[in-house]
Amino acid sequence: MTGAGPRVTFARMRIPRVLPSLKPVDAAGLGCALAYGVLAWSARQSGEPPLILFLGAAVWAALLTFGLYAYHRRHPSEALSPGRLIGWAILFRIFGLFGGPIYEDDFYRYLWDAYRFAQDGTPYGVPPEAFFTDLAVPAQFQRILDQVNYPELPTIYGPVTQLIFLLGYALSPGSIVALQGPLILVDLAAIGLLLRLAPARAVLLYAWCPLVVKEIAFTAHPDGIAVCLLLSAIVMSQRGRLRPAAVCMALAVGAKVLALLLVPFVLARARPIDWGVFAGVLLLLYLPFAWQGGTDLATLVVFAREWEFNAALFSFLKPWMSNPAARAVCGLVLAAGVASYLVVYRRSASAAVPRGDWIYGGLLALWPVVNAWYLLWLLPFAAIRPSAWAWTASVAVLLSYVTGLNLNDLQMEPFGHPPWVRPVEYGLILLAMGCDAIRRARRRAGQRADPRRPDRIEGR
């Protein structure tokens, strides 16, 4: 006699899930959080984090981010949740807030500028060294003053950036955390603006980028202020709101002069009255400080005339001509390139987002100074139109921190590099540019074979 009970087959059994499956975005987010958490913990220890730890954490987070982007690009049906993207981005920046500045001391200038602004009504006109023997400076700010770089020069930061410094001072005088917080909020606003210009999977590249997290959340570099205002202007221009776009562009230039390169593109279809609004707002930003005896322009001239660090093409010209001549050649080449692109852009029937990755990429290729945080200008545009070279550059440029100072090598110049740094740094970028060229050639060949194949903006 056989058993009369019901037959149970494995095919019909329902095994309850003990643990929910982890989404790719959360798996990658956990891996990046581990990297930033370790970096924040190391930053809290005495001295700077070991360079190998910093570079290892950055490469690890970058590979996870690039891998997640590639996954969602290959699986477009699995849409990346903007909420999850931003949630993880906030967590990474909280680690930066906890860790604090690494490999940088520029923040002492920010804190000193804020003190001067609050006390004297202007941070301009007088170099920090003039206050070395001023007994009226509180002990807290005397310690900050002792750490300011280039104390013989007045500040180089624009009026809008100074207002954010002043906000940090109002929250907590002399506190870098009080400055990091507003800068992180501005960076998150930039991510929100990018989500209006590009799909979430592409915005991921910027929101989770190790360079962005390090330079804004950890180190409090203020370039994100101007970048956010520039993106605001682009979003408004795309919607035909040219007067608010002109106001935002003036504020962006007032935050950092590099925004000037995008003004003729963002306001390409503006009327004379809109250009008047732009000029008027910019004048109002500078006039109160000029009236009190100084602006950032004097130190900007010194910067453009003398400073050099981690240069690319400029370093090849300098052995063959004088420093002023090499700078002039690079400036003329950049101006010619931007002007040529502007002619093409204005003739275009579409009001596409300008190729800021080309413009700022050209600037960085030619400029005598290439600090890692300067890529904060390029990367938002590389999220709108992703390319291998731009995102490779976001990792490769971190090698610029391999200096005599950070290596504790007394036989090297403090900001000098070992001989291998720049060949590796720029060699990786050139290799990625070659990969982009091959991919474009293959896509064009595919389009010729199948003319009905649509051309996609993302990934050009």
Side-chain angles (χ1 to χ4, degrees):
M1 181 177 177
T2 59
R7 294 182 64 187
V8 180
T9 63
F10 286 106
R12 294 185 179 181
M13 288 180 66
R14 291 185 177 180
I15 302 174
R17 289 182 178 179
V18 178
L19 293 173
S21 60
L22 207 60
K23 291 181 178 293
V25 61
D26 296 324
L30 282 172
C32 291
L34 175 63
Y36 295 126
V38 170
L39 188 58
W41 171 83
S42 181
R44 300 289 293 185
Q45 311 308 305
S46 61
E48 299 284 14
L51 279 169
I52 190 66
L53 174 65
F54 165 63
L55 294 173
V59 170
W60 169 256
L63 290 176
L64 288 172
T65 301
F66 298 159
L68 183 62
Y69 166 75
Y71 173 83
H72 279 285
R73 187 165 182 186
R74 291 194 181 97
H75 301 84
S77 59
E78 297 184 34
L80 177 61
S81 164
R84 272 189 160 85
L85 180 155
I86 294 175
W88 283 110
I90 291 172
L91 178 61
F92 304 156
R93 285 154 178 80
I94 290 174
F95 282 125
L97 192 67
F98 174 78
I102 53 176
Y103 307 126
E104 287 292 340
D105 56 9
D106 286 352
F107 66 93
Y108 290 112
R109 171 75 75 160
Y110 314 155
L111 300 177
W112 175 252
D113 283 359
Y115 168 77
R116 284 274 335 278
F117 200 167
Q119 296 299 312
D120 303 331
T122 178
Y124 299 114
V126 183
E129 68 178 7
F131 296 88
F132 282 164
T133 58
D134 189 343
L135 299 179
V137 176
Q140 177 190 16
F141 284 95
Q142 191 66 58
R143 290 191 294 270
I144 290 171
L145 178 59
D146 290 341
Q147 302 298 321
V148 172
N149 266 333
Y150 302 102
E152 71 279 6
L153 295 174
T155 184
I156 198 172
Y157 300 101
V160 174
T161 300
Q162 295 291 351
L163 290 172
I164 299 297
F165 295 167
L166 186 62
L167 173 61
Y169 181 91
L171 294 173
S172 181
S175 169
I176 186 59
V177 174
L179 183 56
Q180 286 172 289
L183 292 175
I184 288 172
L185 292 177
V186 169
D187 187 38
L188 293 173
I191 294 171
L193 291 166
L194 278 175
L195 285 169
R196 301 187 179 195
L197 298 169
R201 66 173 179 266
V203 177
L204 166 81
L205 293 168
Y206 177 89
W208 290 20
C209 175
L211 182 144
V212 176
V213 174
K214 187 270 178 190
E215 300 300 347
I216 295 179
F218 278 85
T219 312
H221 276 295
D223 292 63
I225 302 167
V227 170
C228 182
L229 290 165
L230 176 57
L231 291 174
S232 298
I234 289 172
V235 169
M236 291 178 183
S237 177
Q238 293 287 295
R239 296 180 176 184
R241 301 178 62 193
L242 293 176
R243 198 161 302 173
V247 172
C248 287
M249 277 309 312
L251 293 173
V253 174
K256 194 157 188 177
V257 72
L258 290 182
L260 276 172
L261 290 173
L262 264 290
V263 171
F265 296 91
V266 177
L267 301 182
R269 293 165 180 82
R271 297 171 297 174
I273 190 171
D274 301 319
W275 281 97
V277 169
F278 167 78
V281 172
L282 195 57
L283 182 64
L284 287 174
L285 287 172
Y286 273 96
L287 192 58
F289 300 108
W291 186 267
Q292 297 180 76
T295 67
D296 57 324
L297 299 181
T299 304
L300 282 170
V301 170
V302 175
F303 170 82
R305 188 177 61 224
E306 299 178 6
W307 292 359
E308 180 183 352
F309 175 75
N310 194 38
L313 296 177
F314 174 81
S315 62
F316 290 98
L317 290 178
K318 193 175 177 183
W320 301 98
M321 58 184 70
S322 66
N323 177 60
R327 290 173 188 266
V329 168
C330 288
L332 289 172
V333 171
L334 176 66
V338 173
S340 299
Y341 175 49
L342 181 60
V343 171
V344 174
Y345 182 81
R346 290 178 66 90
R347 288 176 178 172
S348 173
S350 66
V353 176
R355 294 302 300 260
D357 52 340
W358 291 352
I359 294 169
Y360 289 114
L363 172 70
L364 296 177
L366 292 162
W367 202 244
V369 179
V370 184
N371 290 308
W373 58 91
Y374 289 1
L375 268 77
L376 293 172
W377 290 85
L378 182 156
L379 296 180
F381 298 96
I384 297 170
R385 293 183 177 89
S387 60
W389 74 264
W391 294 105
T392 299
S394 75
V395 180
V397 77
L398 295 176
L399 289 172
S400 64
Y401 284 109
V402 183
T403 62
L405 181 64
N406 293 327
L407 290 170
N408 295 315
D409 189 337
L410 299 179
Q411 296 183 354
M412 289 179 59
E413 291 291 329
F415 295 104
H417 290 129
W420 59 269
V421 166
R422 272 190 258 187
V424 172
E425 177 185 353
Y426 291 112
L428 288 171
I429 297 171
L430 288 173
L431 182 63
M433 292 177 73
C435 292
D436 282 331
I438 293 171
R439 186 179 61 179
R440 285 194 298 270
R442 288 177 176 174
R443 186 168 59 247
R444 284 195 294 268
Q447 288 168 355
R448 285 195 294 269
D450 183 4
R452 295 171 298 176
R453 180 181 174 181
D455 184 21
R456 294 175 294 178
I457 289 180
E458 184 187 350
R460 279 184 184 171

